[in-house]
Amino acid sequence: MMRTLCLAVLLWAGCKQAGEGADPEEVKTGVDTPKGSAGGFSAGLAADLAKADVGSAVKPVAGSAQAGSAIGDTSAGSGSAGSGSATDGSGSAVAVADTKPTTEEPGKPETGSGSGSAKVADTKPPEPPKAPVEMTAEMKAIKLSLGPNWARDVVGAGTLSLEVNVQSRDVKFTYKFNYGYDDPKAPTDREQYKKYLADSKQLTVSVDRQQGAAWYLEGTDSAGRTAWRVLVIYGGKRLVCGGSSYKENDLGDIRDDVVQQAKKICETISL
């Protein structure tokens, strides 16, 4: 009995030593290792990583890989650094966005892709506004009934003006007439007054007529051009208004209408 017991003890000790020295792969074969043990998920992951060539793996470019297909030879996309391109699984080049910053100099216009150069905007500064015309109190005291679009004392002190824009002919023209006080030394007699105008080369009178309270005179000026003036005596003071008939102006009916309006305005001169 004792002999049998000793034999059993020796057999058990031998089996234990054989288990401790056995090959792990032979022990593991066909045996599921419980989770949480030293030979579980962590050990398997470490083994897989040891077998894989991690340094040669290439991250696929988004949208380049076909669904369900395996990535091919990853060494084709390893390329040199800074080459600006990558390859997807099919071997075709994939463009990489150029992030190089622009080096446009400040103040230079950007160039368009089609024309090759951009047109520089016209930066010509606007003309400065004209200074207001200086008017004396006596000139301000003169009254005139202006027509539509007529201006007083804009192109100069003691002036009436009208700017005409003929779009069909692309013509702009400003008609100007003068008003103010007559020379206090001028004679009051009509014939003497006409002689005075001729001698002073202001107007050689050929037409002389009375129009209400106004005296209308027409003739030629020192340059031989047709001119006219209206003389009104108001409160003992002689007021005059007139100018050129602009016969050299080729605007025809427009010119004649403007001159006729000016004559009507001059007849309203008063204090």
PDB file of all heavy atoms in Angstrom, residues 7 58 141 156 166 228 244:
ATOM      1  N   LEU A   7       4.432   5.689  -5.422  1.00  0.00           N
ATOM      2  CA  LEU A   7       4.461   5.691  -6.871  1.00  0.00           C
ATOM      3  C   LEU A   7       3.525   6.756  -7.431  1.00  0.00           C
ATOM      4  O   LEU A   7       3.835   7.493  -8.373  1.00  0.00           O
ATOM      5  CB  LEU A   7       4.099   4.302  -7.403  1.00  0.00           C
ATOM      6  CG  LEU A   7       4.133   4.161  -8.924  1.00  0.00           C
ATOM      7  CD1 LEU A   7       5.530   4.482  -9.474  1.00  0.00           C
ATOM      8  CD2 LEU A   7       3.706   2.731  -9.327  1.00  0.00           C
ATOM      9  N   VAL A  58       0.360  53.568 -45.137  1.00  0.00           N
ATOM     10  CA  VAL A  58      -0.025  54.888 -45.631  1.00  0.00           C
ATOM     11  C   VAL A  58      -1.489  55.096 -45.351  1.00  0.00           C
ATOM     12  O   VAL A  58      -2.312  54.238 -45.665  1.00  0.00           O
ATOM     13  CB  VAL A  58       0.242  55.006 -47.144  1.00  0.00           C
ATOM     14  CG1 VAL A  58      -0.226  56.373 -47.662  1.00  0.00           C
ATOM     15  CG2 VAL A  58       1.711  54.819 -47.427  1.00  0.00           C
ATOM     16  N   ALA A 141     -29.106 144.020 -53.431  1.00  0.00           N
ATOM     17  CA  ALA A 141     -30.383 144.741 -53.382  1.00  0.00           C
ATOM     18  C   ALA A 141     -31.147 144.665 -54.701  1.00  0.00           C
ATOM     19  O   ALA A 141     -32.360 144.889 -54.739  1.00  0.00           O
ATOM     20  CB  ALA A 141     -30.149 146.197 -53.000  1.00  0.00           C
ATOM     21  N   GLY A 156     -20.141 134.214 -61.793  1.00  0.00           N
ATOM     22  CA  GLY A 156     -19.475 135.473 -61.472  1.00  0.00           C
ATOM     23  C   GLY A 156     -20.465 136.441 -60.852  1.00  0.00           C
ATOM     24  O   GLY A 156     -21.688 136.247 -60.930  1.00  0.00           O
ATOM     25  N   VAL A 166     -27.278 119.423 -74.551  1.00  0.00           N
ATOM     26  CA  VAL A 166     -27.932 118.808 -75.710  1.00  0.00           C
ATOM     27  C   VAL A 166     -27.362 117.406 -75.870  1.00  0.00           C
ATOM     28  O   VAL A 166     -26.288 117.212 -76.445  1.00  0.00           O
ATOM     29  CB  VAL A 166     -27.704 119.641 -76.986  1.00  0.00           C
ATOM     30  CG1 VAL A 166     -28.493 119.047 -78.156  1.00  0.00           C
ATOM     31  CG2 VAL A 166     -28.101 121.097 -76.762  1.00  0.00           C
ATOM     32  N   TRP A 228     -27.225 143.281 -76.926  1.00  0.00           N
ATOM     33  CA  TRP A 228     -28.402 144.045 -76.515  1.00  0.00           C
ATOM     34  C   TRP A 228     -28.302 144.412 -75.042  1.00  0.00           C
ATOM     35  O   TRP A 228     -27.522 143.818 -74.291  1.00  0.00           O
ATOM     36  CB  TRP A 228     -29.691 143.250 -76.785  1.00  0.00           C
ATOM     37  CG  TRP A 228     -29.669 141.875 -76.129  1.00  0.00           C
ATOM     38  CD1 TRP A 228     -29.146 140.744 -76.645  1.00  0.00           C
ATOM     39  CD2 TRP A 228     -30.153 141.555 -74.829  1.00  0.00           C
ATOM     40  NE1 TRP A 228     -29.263 139.703 -75.748  1.00  0.00           N
ATOM     41  CE2 TRP A 228     -29.894 140.180 -74.627  1.00  0.00           C
ATOM     42  CE3 TRP A 228     -30.764 142.278 -73.812  1.00  0.00           C
ATOM     43  CZ2 TRP A 228     -30.239 139.520 -73.450  1.00  0.00           C
ATOM     44  CZ3 TRP A 228     -31.111 141.619 -72.646  1.00  0.00           C
ATOM     45  CH2 TRP A 228     -30.844 140.252 -72.465  1.00  0.00           C
ATOM     46  N   SER A 244     -24.755 139.226 -74.983  1.00  0.00           N
ATOM     47  CA  SER A 244     -24.639 138.821 -76.386  1.00  0.00           C
ATOM     48  C   SER A 244     -25.907 138.114 -76.856  1.00  0.00           C
ATOM     49  O   SER A 244     -26.640 137.505 -76.074  1.00  0.00           O
ATOM     50  CB  SER A 244     -23.438 137.887 -76.546  1.00  0.00           C
ATOM     51  OG  SER A 244     -23.384 137.355 -77.850  1.00  0.00           O
TER      52      SER A 244
END
